[in-house]
């Protein structure tokens, strides 16, 4: 497997949100540096491939987040040991340029569910804007509901080439033993990102 390289947090990832006193709101699914381990075992894991294809992940539920103002979030209903795969960040994989055009077309206050990453020389993204997704119209996809935390994140994204999938898949892997509770990942932006546009927004570093 070819390691994924870092994707810098640049571009129009912050949008001014109506009703938030003119503050900036982070788009869910901003760029994040991805590190892919030696994952040859994952590539042919039949159970993992089935979960991605059928969106049949277990031990997860969507509920109101414990973070103030964050809306809904993703929670575990069972323990996940460090290194286990919770779910994928599900959606259509498209060129990063197309993803940036989608973000620029959003209205002020709209959240972005577009996750940028780099695979070798390719700049790509997962477009998870549609809820439900076109391929699983009767199911909720879990990855898009994970809220951010720079300090308390417990999953990270890894890029995997699953057997039978023409395009890379973004998997969300536990960075520590996870007990029953809310799942967070680090979107990879801070108050100093975006040429300092977020300075003064302390919640970016929470």
């Amino acid at each position: 497997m070819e390691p994924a390289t870092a994707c810098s947090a640049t571009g129009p990832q912050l949008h001014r949100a109506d009703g938030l006193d003119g503050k900036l709101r982070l788009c869910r699914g901003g760029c994040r540096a991805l590190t892919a381990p030696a994952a040859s075992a994952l590539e042919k894991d039949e159970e993992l491939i089935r979960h991605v294809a059928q969106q049949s992940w277990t031990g997860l539920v969507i509920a109101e987040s414990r973070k103030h103002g964050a809306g809904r979030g993703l929670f575990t209903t069972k323990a996940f040991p460090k290194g286990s795969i919770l779910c994928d960040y599900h959606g259509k994989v498209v060129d990063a340029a197309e993803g940036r055009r989608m973000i620029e077309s959003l209205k002020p206050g709209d959240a972005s569910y577009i996750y940028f990453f780099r695979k070798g020389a390719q700049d790509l993204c997962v477009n998870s804007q549609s809820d439900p997704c076109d391929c699983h119209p009767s199911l909720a996809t879990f990855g898009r509901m994970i809220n951010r935390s720079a300090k308390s994140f417990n999953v990270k994204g890894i890029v995997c080439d699953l057997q039978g999938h023409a395009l890379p898949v973004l998997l969300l892997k536990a960075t520590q033993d996870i007990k029953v509770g809310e799942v967070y990942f680090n979107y990879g932006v801070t108050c100093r990102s975006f040429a300092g546009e977020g300075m003064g927004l302390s919640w970016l570093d929470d």
Side-chain angles (χ1 to χ4, degrees):
M1 163 172 286
E2 181 182 1
T5 56
C7 179
S8 60
T10 58
Q13 298 299 301
L14 287 167
H15 293 271
R16 299 196 180 278
D18 295 337
L20 294 181
D21 299 324
K23 291 184 178 180
L24 297 170
R25 186 172 68 175
L26 174 69
C27 288
R28 190 191 301 269
C31 285
R32 172 65 183 150
L34 302 174
T35 303
S40 57
L42 292 179
E43 293 176 4
K44 299 180 180 180
D45 186 316
E46 292 183 1
E47 183 178 11
L48 179 62
I49 293 170
R50 176 174 57 83
H51 283 320
V52 171
Q54 300 178 3
Q55 289 299 291
S56 55
W57 305 102
T58 60
L60 301 171
V61 66
I62 297 170
E64 192 70 18
S65 175
R66 293 173 180 168
K67 290 178 72 76
H68 178 70
R72 296 183 299 165
L74 184 68
F75 290 78
T76 60
T77 59
K78 67 177 184 180
F80 286 87
K82 180 179 179 179
S84 58
I85 302 299
L86 276 69
C87 62
D88 64 328
Y89 196 90
H90 190 71
K92 184 179 180 181
V93 178
V94 298
D95 185 84
E98 182 177 341
R100 286 190 288 270
R101 287 194 294 269
M102 292 177 189
I103 288 177
E104 290 168 357
S105 69
L106 293 175
K107 298 177 181 178
D110 286 349
S112 166
Y113 296 87
I114 298 174
Y115 196 123
F116 293 87
F117 67 98
R118 182 171 294 154
K119 179 68 163 54
Q122 294 180 293
D123 286 325
L124 303 169
C125 67
V126 178
N127 175 15
S128 190
Q129 285 294 114
S130 299
D131 182 29
C133 66
D134 295 336
C135 50
H136 300 88
S138 62
L139 298 175
T141 52
F142 292 119
R144 72 191 298 278
M145 299 310 301
I146 301 178
N147 285 309
R148 73 171 300 280
S149 176
K151 296 179 179 178
S152 302
F153 67 92
N154 47 19
V155 298
K156 69 176 181 180
I158 63 170
V159 180
C160 190
D161 292 311
L162 290 185
Q163 192 172 58
H165 288 257
L167 295 170
V169 175
L170 268 174
L171 302 174
L172 295 167
K173 176 182 176 181
T175 59
Q176 61 191 60
D177 291 339
I178 300 177
K179 299 179 180 179
V180 174
E182 189 161 5
V183 180
Y184 299 104
F185 74 83
N186 185 357
Y187 291 176
V189 295
T190 68
C191 291
R192 293 177 176 80
S193 299
F194 311 104
E197 192 178 4
M199 290 299 290
L201 303 183
S202 60
W203 54 268
L204 280 176
D205 294 325
D206 287 345

